[in-house]
Amino acid sequence: MPELPQKTAACYIRVSTDDQLEYSPDSQLKKIREYAAAHNMLLPNDLIFQEEEGRSARTTAHRTEFQRMIALARQKPRPFDVLLLWKFSRFARSREDAVVYKSMLRRQCGIEVISVSEPLSQDKTAVIMEAVIEAMDEYYSLNLAEEVRRGMNEKASRGGVCHIAPIGYQVENGQYIADQAFAPVVQTIFAQFLAGAPYRQIAGFLNSQGIRTQNGKPFEVRAIQRILQNPMYIGKVRYMENGAIAGDYQNPHIQLVQGSHPPLVADEDFAKAQARIEQIKHSRRRYERANSPQSCMLQGLMRCSNCGCTMVKSKNGLQCYAYSHGVCRQSHYITESVANARVLQAIQADMQNFNLHILLRANEQAPQQEALHQQLLRAQNRLGRIKRAYEEGVDTLAEYKQNKTAVLQEIARLEQKMQPPKPPTQQECQKLFLQKNRNAIAALPDPSLSASEKNALLRAFVDHIVFNRAKNTLDIFYYL
């Protein structure tokens, strides 16, 4: 009986943390290699797709190697003939994903999907058996998630550890204990807030002392707000029956139980803090209603010279967003009407003096460059397959040379097209800028235009505006 032609195989390997009985990645690969050798299949190293440990098969969104394997399978000609798995559950535990991707591989790409440990017959009953295996895998995944959630709920209902310890606590021997380094930070936050300090002032104080959040970042207003609202600090543990921990502490579905950890704040101080938080919310709502219809000509364009953060509306002017949140230490407040007038004057002066800071944006060429890059990658992959075909005796030496020459010429052509164009000189930039934006610049002073309409005009040619309050200067950066 003549030997069947050798097929090129790929393999997909995934190990999840929810199954302690499955093979390790090395063991899976060993079994897959044994199967490939026994069935006259070539398994190149570059066609082995292995996920990072712990990647769930419930969805394909975060499985980067799976997505890379599917993208490669779509290429023409197909890079491999067979996809080998240790088990079908490694491919997907969602029947919807399993049906969609297996159908795509088999019908659209002509690639067979095989489980080396779950052999199926070659007749039509194999369809039923594969569907049964997929249904069992999905049931196992859903049931395991439910059991984990039930265990977490039970643990939380007894006041045990059910989520990452917030600042001020740490986990030791399965229990929350006070963190001696950061517990005083939490107490300082509550003390300053109850003494009347605003959120921004508290964040600024902590940052000035070199104190950082658990992520190593400076404190912002929202971080202070979360700490002040967290019932963990009065000895409570919060949880939801679905296993999630919501950021909104007022969520009616959140349940609070007494924990076994020591409180860092007295109950009466926590209650006073919540009352002041509500008072601040109501006062802000009144201010927001009074100012909501207004728009800003410079919205999204002005930046703080100290930290580079965008300046946003604050009362009747503009203020650095980071300063408002306690991160930036220099106020850059400027009255909105003054800022508008100064920007219009600065633009007119720049046009008259022909002194423009013009930035070149490459965004328009990005899609074309990306398309060329993808074509280049495909050509380089083709070059590898041509070489492999010759090494395996599929092509003759003459065919290999001919195909290689054609692909190398295509690669050279694509690399030439990807060369960035020569940037225009400053004089050419200014000339092009004025030709393109003359009408918009002339329309800006029109008093009949609304603030939002002027903002749209400015965004057409202004990249950003830097305001330096200490020097009282405005620098406008245009773009082409």
Side-chain angles (χ1 to χ4, degrees):
M1 183 177 179
E3 186 178 349
L4 295 175
Q6 189 177 50
K7 293 183 178 181
T8 301
C11 75
Y12 177 71
I13 297 172
R14 184 187 63 83
V15 177
S16 61
T17 56
D18 58 15
D19 191 346
Q20 302 302 320
L21 301 178
E22 66 183 19
Y23 278 6
S24 68
D26 291 341
S27 299
Q28 290 185 36
L29 181 57
K30 180 182 178 182
K31 292 295 182 182
I32 289 172
R33 286 195 185 277
E34 290 174 355
Y35 182 94
H39 291 79
N40 192 31
M41 296 178 182
L42 174 68
L43 179 59
N45 289 331
D46 60 345
L47 292 180
I48 297 173
F49 303 92
Q50 180 176 324
E51 296 288 0
E52 295 180 9
E53 187 170 345
R55 294 286 184 179
S56 171
R58 290 282 300 279
T59 177
T60 63
H62 302 295
R63 290 195 278 157
T64 55
E65 285 299 286
F66 183 90
Q67 296 293 350
R68 189 170 72 87
M69 179 263 294
I70 292 295
L72 186 64
R74 291 174 180 268
Q75 294 185 6
K76 301 293 183 182
R78 65 173 182 247
F80 52 91
D81 308 297
V82 181
L83 176 63
L84 301 179
L85 312 164
W86 177 59
K87 280 187 175 182
F88 284 120
S89 62
R90 302 304 88 201
F91 186 79
R93 277 185 171 161
S94 160
R95 279 178 293 170
E96 182 179 358
D97 283 345
V99 170
V100 169
Y101 285 105
K102 285 181 183 177
S103 177
M104 185 272 290
L105 289 172
R106 287 168 173 162
R107 297 181 182 180
Q108 298 180 21
C109 307
I111 295 174
E112 191 177 359
V113 182
I114 297 175
S115 167
V116 302
S117 64
E118 299 161 323
L120 301 174
S121 61
Q122 299 300 314
D123 56 27
K124 57 188 178 183
T125 61
V127 176
I128 299 175
M129 291 304 300
E130 187 171 347
V132 170
I133 292 172
E134 290 170 353
M136 291 176 63
D137 288 336
E138 184 170 20
Y139 170 79
Y140 171 83
S141 181
L142 293 172
N143 185 64
L144 180 66
E146 185 177 327
E147 291 296 327
V148 170
R149 187 161 53 247
R150 185 183 296 113
M152 291 295 291
N153 286 338
E154 177 63 24
K155 193 173 185 180
S157 67
R158 297 195 303 266
V161 175
C162 56
H163 52 76
I164 297 173
I167 186 170
Y169 289 103
Q170 58 186 9
V171 177
E172 187 175 293
N173 298 324
Q175 295 290 327
Y176 293 118
I177 64 170
D179 185 335
Q180 299 303 318
F182 287 97
V185 173
V186 174
Q187 293 164 342
T188 297
I189 290 172
F190 273 89
Q192 291 193 3
F193 186 70
L194 293 177
Y199 301 129
R200 184 193 58 75
Q201 181 178 323
I202 298 172
F205 170 77
L206 296 176
N207 293 330
S208 67
Q209 300 299 309
I211 301 172
R212 294 294 180 261
T213 66
Q214 289 171 300
N215 297 326
K217 296 180 179 179
F219 276 89
E220 295 186 7
V221 165
R222 57 187 174 182
I224 302 298
Q225 291 172 328
R226 289 194 188 108
I227 291 171
L228 290 168
Q229 291 180 287
N230 194 340
M232 278 282 291
Y233 299 119
I234 54 172
K236 305 290 185 181
V237 173
R238 58 189 171 87
Y239 75 101
M240 295 175 67
E241 290 187 356
N242 63 1
I245 298 297
D248 179 12
Y249 299 135
Q250 309 304 320
N251 190 314
H253 300 291
I254 287 182
Q255 300 186 35
L256 290 178
V257 296
Q258 186 62 46
S260 58
H261 60 281
L264 301 182
V265 178
D267 288 356
E268 55 270 23
D269 289 341
F270 188 81
K272 290 177 183 178
Q274 306 318 300
R276 186 172 177 226
I277 289 171
E278 286 301 313
Q279 182 183 8
I280 293 172
K281 284 181 180 178
H282 287 300
S283 64
R284 285 185 174 178
R285 289 191 190 111
R286 289 194 297 270
Y287 169 73
E288 287 167 359
R289 285 195 296 270
N291 290 275
S292 56
Q294 299 180 5
S295 57
C296 179
M297 185 184 89
L298 301 176
Q299 182 176 355
L301 293 173
M302 286 194 70
R303 297 184 187 175
C304 163
S305 65
N306 182 56
C307 68
C309 194
T310 303
M311 295 180 63
V312 296
K313 290 196 70 169
S314 176
K315 297 183 180 179
N316 296 320
L318 298 170
Q319 178 61 279
C320 170
Y321 177 85
Y323 179 83
S324 300
H325 287 71
V327 179
C328 181
R329 300 186 64 184
Q330 290 186 15
S331 171
H332 274 64
Y333 181 84
I334 181 173
T335 305
E336 185 178 352
S337 58
V338 173
N340 292 346
R342 289 191 57 183
V343 167
L344 293 178
Q345 293 171 1
I347 290 174
Q348 293 299 324
D350 287 344
M351 299 304 137
Q352 292 174 2
N353 300 329
F354 214 55
N355 180 27
L356 310 178
H357 299 292
I358 299 179
L359 306 176
L360 295 178
R361 289 185 175 180
N363 294 342
E364 295 180 359
Q365 297 179 355
Q368 181 182 2
Q369 289 292 315
E370 178 60 25
L372 290 173
H373 178 66
Q374 293 300 325
Q375 293 178 37
L376 181 61
L377 289 178
R378 287 195 291 270
Q380 291 170 341
N381 288 336
R382 263 200 322 275
L383 194 62
R385 291 198 298 273
I386 289 170
K387 181 179 180 182
R388 189 168 60 195
Y390 168 67
E391 291 174 343
E392 295 170 5
V394 177
D395 290 345
T396 64
L397 179 60
E399 290 172 330
Y400 169 62
K401 289 182 177 179
Q402 181 181 356
N403 292 335
K404 179 181 178 181
T405 300
V407 174
L408 287 175
Q409 288 175 349
E410 183 180 358
I411 289 175
R413 179 183 63 82
L414 291 170
E415 288 177 341
Q416 180 65 30
K417 291 182 69 174
M418 289 180 67
Q419 292 295 324
K422 183 180 179 181
T425 64
Q426 181 68 13
Q427 187 175 3
E428 291 171 336
C429 285
Q430 293 181 346
K431 184 177 179 180
L432 289 171
F433 178 86
L434 291 174
Q435 290 175 351
K436 181 180 178 182
N437 301 297
R438 183 177 289 109
N439 293 336
I441 294 170
L444 268 177
D446 187 347
S448 66
L449 294 178
S450 66
S452 59
E453 289 172 328
K454 292 187 177 184
N455 181 258
L457 285 175
L458 285 170
R459 286 179 177 273
F461 60 89
V462 173
D463 186 84
H464 65 279
I465 303 166
V466 177
F467 173 55
N468 188 318
R469 182 178 178 181
K471 297 181 179 179
N472 196 26
T473 58
L474 276 172
D475 291 318
I476 303 178
F477 293 84
Y478 307 92
Y479 74 89
L480 187 60

